[in-house]
Amino acid sequence: MAERSFKAEVEHLRKGEGDTFTGEGILAITKALLENGVGYVGGYQGAPISHLMDVLADAEELLGELGIRFEANANEAAAAAMLAASVHYPIRGAVTFKGSVGVNVASDALANLASSGVNGGALIIVGEDYGEGSSIMQERSHAFAMKSQFWLLDPRPNLPSITKAVQDGFELSEASNTPVMLMVRIRSCHVTGSFQTRDNQRPKLTVREALSNPQSDFARVVLPPMSFAHEQDKIKNRWPNAEKFIRERGLNEVFGPKTAPVGLVLQGGMYNGVIRALQRLGLADIWGNTEVPLYVLNVTYPLLAGEFLEFCEGKDQVLVIEEGQPEFIEQQLSTFLYRAGSQVKLRGKGILPMAGEYTGQVMLDGITAFLKEAAPQMLPALVRAPNEDKPQIPDLTKTVPIRPPGFCTGCPERPIFAAMKLVQKETGKLQISADIGCHLFASLPPFEIGGATMGYGLGPAANAAFDGGGERRPVAVIGDGGFWHNGLSSSFTNMAFNKSDGVAVIVDNYYSAATGGQDIMSSRADNPTKATKHPITKALKGIGIDWVRQVDRTYDVGRMRDVLREALTTDAPGPKVIVASSECMLNKQRREKPLTAKAIKEGRRVEAPRFGVDEDVCTGDHACIRLSGCPSLSLKKLDDPLRDDPVASIDQSCVGCGNCGEVADAAVLCPSFYRADVVHNPGAGEVKRARIRDRVIGWLQTRRAARRLSFEGAA
C-alpha cells in the first residue's frame, strides 16, 4: 500500500500527439519513457524518486499493453543489473533509484555496465536531494559518472526540458554505446507544469521477442583482454561520439547577449534559482530573458572544451555555479582555460559556498558579490551602494531548537525502544547498531538508542566486530525493508556463518515504510502483481538461525521487554533474532480512516478508542513522556495553586494505539492513563445508559465538590 495512488493520473499517460500533459515531474518522466519506446523499466524506491516507482506500479496495465516489462527490484544493484538486457540487444531500458546511496549500492553492476558498453539506450534516473531536503549523507553522483565514464544529464527543472532529457539520454546512449545517468533534483521531481505530448511507442524490440532469439557478444564480457579493450574504446570511440552528439544536438544551452564582460556557467538544475536571482537584481524578466550571458550545462559530464571556450570569448570573468563539493566542474573548466592559454578569470567556490544547498538567497548573495567585483556597472545603483542602515536578520540558530525527525504518532516502533530502554536499566548501556529506516530515529531523544548506521540492510553487519561474545551481547536493529533489501544476504548470513553471539531485532511494520509504504516480501496484504506473505522467520531459519522469536504486537511493552531480556541472557549458541511485528500506523490510518468515515456517514455503529490522563492522579514526573516520546503526549498546566508542576496530557492527534498506557504499566509508572471508547451512531439502549451514567457521575462529582468546600471552610 503505497503512500498515495496515481491511478487517476496514470490515465493521462495515454495522451497522444498534440495533446497537452499537465502534472508533476515524476509523471512527466514516465510519459517520456513511454513516448521514447522504452522496453523495460525497474528500480528501487527512495526519496525524491519514490513516486516514480509508485507511478510505474499503478501503470502496469498500460505498460503491459505496450509490451514493456516492469520490475520492482529487491534493491538498486538488482535494478542496475537489469540493464544487462541493453548490452546485447538494441532494447531501450531505464532504471531508477535514489541518488548517491542508490548509486553506491548499484556500483558493481554499474561499473560493469560502463565497461562493457551498451547497444540499446540505457538510462539510469537518479533522484538527487542534496541539501536541507536530504535524508542521507551529502555526496554527489557526479563522482561516479567521472569514475566509470557515464554521461551525466542535469536538465533545467521544467517539464519540457525534463522530457527532452529522457529522449536525449536514450539517443546519446545509443550514439556513444554508453549508459547515461539522468539526474533529477527534488524540485524537478515535484515541479508542476505542462508539455506537448507525443504518441506512446511500443519498443522496436520487446524483451519477449529478444528472448525468442537469444544473442550475445563475448567482446562485451568484462574479462581480460576484453576489459582492456573497453578502456581504449571509451577514449577512442565512445567519448568522441558523445561529444559530437552533445554539440551537434545542442544539449547544452546559451542564453542572454553574445557580448558582455562577464558570464555565468551553471548546472541545468540550478537554472531556476539563477534566473530568480537575476530577476531580483533587475537583470532578467519573468520570461527568463537575461542581460547576463548564461551557459547552461544540461550535460555536466562530459564537459565540452570547445563549447565552453567559445562562451568565454570576449569576457573578463566567468562565475561557475556548481552545487556541492568537491568542485568537479570548476576544476575541469579551469583546466580548459589553462590549456588554451586563456586570460579569462574563472570564479566559483569562494564567492559561492563550497558546501551546502544553493538556495535562492545563497544564489542571490553569490551572484551579487560576483557582479560587484567583476561588472559593478551592470548592477542597479541601490545594489552597488546598499543602504547601510538596513536591518540585519538575526541569527536564530543559537536560540531556536533544532527539529530533528521523529516517530509518527502511534508508531509501533516506539514501544520496542521503550522496552529496550527498560532492559538497559537492568543491564546497563548496550552496544547497539542501527540501520537505514524509521527505527533510526531511536538514536535521538527520548530513546537515544543506537548510534551507528553503515548502510541499508547492514545494521547487524555493523556489529560484527562485537559479535564474538563479551560481558554483554551487542544488539543490532534493522527494518523489514532493510532485511529484504540487503540484510538477509549480507547481515544475517554473516551472523549465521560466523556463529555470532549477538542479538538482532527486526522491526517488521509490513511495508518499506520509510520510502512511502510500498509492499515487500513479508507484507501481509494481497498484491495482485507481486508475491507477499513470506514470513521473515521462515527466511531466517532457512539460513540456519535457530533462536528466532516472533512478537506479533509490539505495543505489548512487557512482552517486548521480556523477549529482549531472554535474548540477552539465554545460553543458546548462535545468533538471537527477534522479529517485532506491528503494522505501520501511517499505512493503517490511510487504510482504515476512509472506511471508518464511510461507516459513520452511513449511520453504522463505530467505536474509536481514545486515551487520556487523569489530572488528579498524574504526579507530574513525566516518565511516561521520557519512555514513549509520543507527539500526542504533551504537558498541561493546572489551575490548582497547590500543583506547580504541569501534568501529562494527551492531545487530539492521538490515534488510540495504547502505547502510553502500555509503557506506564510495564514501567510501573502510574495508573493515571485511561481509555475511553468514542461511540459513533450509538443504539438507543447505549444512549439511555450513557445518560444514566452521566447523571450518576455528575451527582458524585457535585457531592465531592461540596465536601471539599465544607472541609476548606472548617479549616
Side-chain angles (χ1 to χ4, degrees):
M1 180 183 180
E3 188 173 84
R4 61 171 286 200
S5 171
F6 288 89
K7 288 289 187 183
E9 291 92 334
V10 160
E11 289 305 308
H12 298 300
L13 298 177
R14 297 181 181 275
K15 290 189 173 184
E17 187 70 38
D19 291 332
T20 299
F21 184 98
T22 300
E24 63 175 337
I26 292 292
L27 287 154
I29 293 170
T30 312
K31 175 60 175 160
L33 290 172
L34 301 182
E35 291 179 355
N36 286 284
V38 70
Y40 61 95
V41 286
Y44 190 84
Q45 60 274 354
I49 210 73
S50 297
H51 287 338
L52 181 51
M53 290 298 294
D54 296 336
V55 170
L56 290 167
D58 286 342
E60 279 203 75
E61 182 180 346
L62 174 57
L63 298 179
E65 293 172 9
L66 294 169
I68 302 169
R69 166 68 176 166
F70 168 63
E71 181 109 346
N73 302 105
N75 54 39
E76 296 88 347
M82 275 188 82
L83 293 172
S86 293
V87 172
H88 299 292
Y89 300 93
I91 306 175
R92 288 183 170 179
V95 297
T96 183
F97 36 74
K98 187 178 180 72
S100 55
V101 287
V103 171
N104 290 341
V105 173
S107 59
D108 199 16
L110 292 177
N112 279 277
L113 185 71
S115 182
S116 63
V118 295
N119 277 327
L123 197 63
I124 301 100
I125 304 167
V126 294
E128 290 279 343
D129 55 354
Y130 183 85
E132 293 182 4
S134 176
S135 61
I136 60 166
M137 74 290 287
Q138 298 294 273
E139 290 187 353
R140 302 172 61 190
S141 301
H142 195 108
F144 193 94
M146 296 171 64
K147 176 190 81 72
S148 292
Q149 292 177 348
F150 274 69
W151 314 141
L152 180 60
L153 307 186
D154 185 359
R156 290 191 290 136
N158 62 70
L159 265 54
S161 294
I162 294 168
T163 53
K164 180 178 181 297
V166 173
Q167 179 179 355
D168 291 338
F170 278 130
E171 294 177 357
L172 172 60
S173 177
E174 290 164 342
S176 60
N177 301 113
T178 303
V180 170
M181 194 176 291
L182 172 61
M183 186 171 82
V184 281
R185 300 160 187 264
I186 190 168
R187 291 177 179 83
S188 302
C189 290
H190 302 299
V191 68
T192 299
S194 301
F195 68 96
Q196 297 300 303
T197 61
R198 296 180 289 133
D199 291 335
N200 294 332
Q201 299 294 321
R202 186 178 178 85
K204 294 178 181 177
L205 177 67
T206 67
V207 289
R208 274 184 178 274
E209 292 164 347
L211 194 58
S212 300
N213 185 26
Q215 60 189 56
S216 61
D217 180 1
F218 74 85
R220 292 196 178 276
V221 178
V222 187
L223 282 174
M226 289 80 76
S227 52
F228 309 144
H230 294 164
E231 184 185 24
Q232 296 298 320
D233 188 40
K234 286 180 180 180
I235 300 302
K236 294 178 181 178
N237 299 306
R238 300 185 204 174
W239 197 313
N241 289 342
E243 289 190 332
K244 180 182 178 185
F245 182 91
I246 294 165
R247 179 143 191 152
E248 290 180 353
R249 295 289 289 271
L251 300 194
N252 296 321
E253 300 171 285
V254 176
F255 300 98
K258 291 187 177 180
T259 57
V262 295
L264 306 179
V265 179
L266 56 137
Q267 298 159 298
M270 297 286 98
Y271 175 81
N272 287 5
V274 169
I275 283 294
R276 179 58 183 150
L278 293 174
Q279 288 171 356
R280 293 175 68 183
L281 291 170
L283 297 174
D285 61 22
I286 61 172
W287 307 108
N289 299 310
T290 171
E291 297 177 25
V292 180
L294 306 180
Y295 178 38
V296 181
L297 297 172
N298 293 314
V299 183
T300 53
Y301 189 79
L303 300 172
L304 276 56
E307 199 173 75
F308 168 67
L309 293 172
E310 286 175 14
F311 176 76
C312 290
E313 288 178 4
K315 296 178 178 62
D316 300 321
Q317 296 192 41
V318 170
L319 176 68
V320 181
I321 300 173
E322 176 183 7
E323 187 177 59
Q325 55 85 26
E327 66 276 41
F328 298 119
I329 296 173
E330 184 181 343
Q331 291 176 19
Q332 183 65 68
L333 298 182
S334 297
T335 302
F336 290 161
L337 291 173
Y338 174 77
R339 289 178 177 173
S342 174
Q343 299 302 308
V344 173
K345 188 174 183 180
L346 193 70
R347 311 294 298 278
K349 303 295 185 182
I351 285 185
L352 288 159
M354 173 62 81
E357 184 179 9
Y358 281 7
T359 62
Q361 190 62 48
V362 168
M363 214 83 85
L364 177 63
D365 293 343
I367 293 173
T368 302
F370 170 69
L371 292 177
K372 277 184 178 180
E373 290 185 28
Q377 71 279 6
M378 297 185 72
L379 291 170
L382 184 62
V383 178
R384 290 200 302 271
N387 182 3
E388 298 300 332
D389 296 329
K390 185 172 67 174
Q392 296 296 309
I393 299 174
D395 181 5
L396 300 178
T397 58
K398 303 292 188 296
T399 55
V400 177
I402 63 171
R403 297 182 63 190
F407 294 110
C408 302
T409 302
C411 176
E413 302 187 18
R414 288 181 183 279
I416 297 173
F417 298 106
M420 204 172 287
K421 204 167 183 178
L422 292 173
V423 169
Q424 285 195 112
K425 190 175 180 181
E426 303 172 11
T427 64
K429 187 174 177 62
L430 298 167
Q431 163 61 36
I432 301 175
S433 69
D435 203 84
I436 304 298
C438 300
H439 65 271
L440 189 55
F441 300 151
S443 61
L444 304 171
F447 301 112
E448 299 180 55
I449 287 174
T453 175
M454 300 305 295
Y456 203 22
L458 298 177
N463 256 358
F466 305 103
D467 275 353
E471 183 180 342
R472 301 186 188 94
R473 286 178 177 136
V475 178
V477 186
I478 183 173
D480 48 351
F483 177 85
W484 293 114
H485 175 275
N486 195 23
L488 176 61
S489 59
S490 295
S491 285
F492 289 93
T493 54
N494 188 67
M495 291 181 78
F497 184 69
N498 289 287
K499 298 184 177 180
S500 161
D501 190 43
V503 176
V505 178
I506 302 174
V507 181
D508 173 23
N509 55 32
Y510 305 1
Y511 310 93
S512 182
T515 62
Q518 293 83 6
D519 281 340
I520 51 178
M521 289 276 285
S522 51
S523 295
R524 308 288 177 100
D526 291 318
N527 187 313
T529 63
K530 301 292 179 286
T532 54
K533 301 182 181 180
H534 298 280
I536 292 173
T537 53
K538 191 173 181 180
L540 290 167
K541 291 181 179 179
I543 61 169
I545 297 179
D546 298 320
W547 199 101
V548 179
R549 298 291 184 270
Q550 175 76 45
V551 178
D552 282 322
R553 184 174 174 272
T554 62
Y555 296 103
D556 188 342
V557 179
R559 164 81 171 141
M560 278 301 314
R561 178 199 56 202
D562 294 344
V563 174
L564 280 164
R565 186 193 292 127
E566 181 189 0
L568 289 164
T569 57
T570 180
D571 293 330
K576 271 64 71 173
V577 183
I578 301 168
V579 182
S581 303
S582 276
E583 184 178 12
C584 167
M585 183 56 73
L586 272 182
N587 269 38
K588 184 176 180 180
Q589 293 294 312
R590 289 186 192 115
R591 188 183 69 254
E592 292 188 351
K593 274 189 174 180
L595 298 176
T596 300
K598 182 181 178 183
I600 293 173
K601 187 176 180 180
E602 292 174 351
R604 284 183 277 151
R605 184 184 183 281
V606 175
E607 285 189 15
R610 293 301 305 271
F611 288 80
V613 174
D614 190 323
E615 298 171 0
D616 294 328
V617 178
C618 177
T619 62
D621 71 344
H622 311 144
C624 53
I625 295 176
R626 293 192 297 274
L627 268 175
S628 80
C630 181
S632 67
L633 265 177
S634 57
L635 299 178
K636 181 178 180 180
K637 187 74 175 177
L638 299 179
D639 294 331
D640 189 343
L642 300 179
R643 301 282 299 272
D644 293 332
D645 295 331
V647 298
S649 177
I650 299 178
D651 64 26
Q652 294 301 309
S653 65
C654 173
V655 294
C657 70
N659 180 40
C660 50
E662 294 274 3
V663 168
D665 182 63
V668 195
L669 293 172
C670 69
S672 60
F673 288 93
Y674 65 84
R675 168 174 170 162
D677 290 330
V678 179
V679 180
H680 298 271
N681 302 318
E686 287 180 304
V687 172
K688 186 176 180 179
R689 286 194 297 272
R691 286 174 179 166
I692 294 172
R693 287 195 194 102
D694 288 343
R695 288 173 186 164
V696 173
I697 292 171
W699 177 76
L700 291 171
Q701 289 175 332
T702 302
R703 189 177 71 164
R704 184 178 65 176
R707 285 182 176 179
R708 181 180 295 172
L709 287 172
S710 175
F711 175 77
E712 291 173 354

